[in-house]
Amino acid sequence: IIVVSPTDKFDEVAAGVNVYFEAGSRRVWIVRPRVKMVTIHRSEQDVQIVAETQTLNASDIMPGLEIPLAKLFE
């Protein structure tokens, strides 16, 4: 999980995603508090954006893990 701070450049953060996959990560989440969304990378090509009104679901890697983003960004 990468949380983007106000001083981070999103392009630089996104470019580092591959490093996590090379280290064995099965998912990389980029949390963007300022825009209240999470970018989920399942691979370099499989990317999903989850908005504040949606639920982040990772039950396939951690059974029962569902996070309503509205709660996360309160």
Side-chain angles (χ1 to χ4, degrees), residues 3 5 14 17-18 20-21 24 26 34 49 51 54 57 60 63 67:
V3 179
S5 74
V17 168
N18 198 37
Y20 291 95
F21 285 122
R26 294 172 47 196
R34 291 181 65 193
I49 295 175
Q54 298 174 302
N57 185 329
D60 59 324
I67 304 167

Side-chain angles (χ1 to χ4, degrees), residues 36-48:
K36 298 183 179 181
M37 62 178 41
V38 176
T39 305
I40 303 167
H41 293 262
R42 290 178 183 84
S43 70
E44 286 185 61
Q45 297 79 28
D46 186 357
V47 179
Q48 175 187 6

Side-chain angles (χ1 to χ4, degrees), residues 1-21 28-33 39 41:
I1 299 173
I2 303 167
V3 179
V4 179
S5 74
T7 58
D8 288 336
K9 293 182 180 174
F10 185 74
D11 292 344
E12 292 174 3
V13 173
V17 168
N18 198 37
V19 172
Y20 291 95
F21 285 122
V28 178
W29 297 349
I30 300 177
V31 179
R32 300 172 60 194
T39 305
H41 293 262

Side-chain angles (χ1 to χ4, degrees), residues 48-62:
Q48 175 187 6
I49 295 175
V50 182
E52 177 184 18
T53 58
Q54 298 174 302
T55 298
L56 179 63
N57 185 329
S59 292
D60 59 324
I61 58 171
M62 186 177 287

